Amino acid sequence: MPLSLARADEPLTVFAAASLKEAVENIAAAWQAETGTDVRISLAGSSALAKQIEEGAPADIFISADQRWMDYLAEKELLKNESRVDLLANRIVLVAPANSALEVSIAPGFALADMLGEERLAMANVDAVPAGVYGKAALENLGVWESVKDKVAQAENVRAALLLVSRQEAPLGIVYETDAKVDPGVRVLDRFPEASHPPIVYPAALLSESDYPSASDFLSYLQGAKAHEIFAAAGFTVLSRTN
């Protein structure tokens, strides 16, 4: 079992989905300025973080980009279930390099394969990473997955997929709308219809092995007015808010 995290002189450790990078870092900085408590942020694909937690990585709070990996930890009895909250919502979009001349309207049967030609579609891992799972579901729903499944460049997380497009190593990619907002190297061609994929919800929870003194306070802070301001500015929809 992981070691106790009771020592208040150590940083509070938050495992967060890669798409939350700027927002969570800014919230942690605001919290640290207000309380003097250091926060350590570990960012990766939700699947990788959940596996690390399962293997005993010491952490206090987990913020996943989907319910699946939070459910996974709940089934392993690695969460304080009463603390679990649906924190945020997001959208997925199709992006191209900022200087691309491509235009598209996403609709059933849209010509994604023709747009790619011999090149690749950047996506997070479509079997494990939430952004990739959502993207695959949308493409299947729209009837275009079979035509592009052999053209997908799968990345370890959504920010890695974003980078492939930003660096012009891929002509198109599927990422969260919030990711596209932070990278001037890409532009959004269109949003995927919300009905084409499961709802994109970010749950957060305390981990069962954490007894960090202020972990629950930080989870509440993530739902407070300052965090709401930061999340909203980053393009997230806030689902849970406390005053």
Side-chain angles (χ1 to χ4, degrees), residues 92-108:
I92 52 171
V93 295
L94 186 68
V95 294
N99 62 359
S100 171
L102 287 172
E103 299 289 344
V104 64
S105 293
I106 295 173

Side-chain angles (χ1 to χ4, degrees), residues 80-95:
K80 294 180 180 178
N81 290 317
E82 70 282 358
S83 72
R84 182 170 173 173
V85 60
D86 289 343
L87 190 63
L88 304 166
N90 209 342
R91 299 286 299 270
I92 52 171
V93 295
L94 186 68
V95 294

Side-chain angles (χ1 to χ4, degrees), residues 1-6 53 56-60 77-80 206-212:
M1 300 294 286
L3 296 174
S4 169
L5 301 179
I53 292 166
D60 301 293
E77 300 184 348
L78 294 172
L79 302 181
K80 294 180 180 178
L206 301 174
L207 296 170
S208 59
E209 290 300 318
S210 169
D211 51 9
Y212 196 94

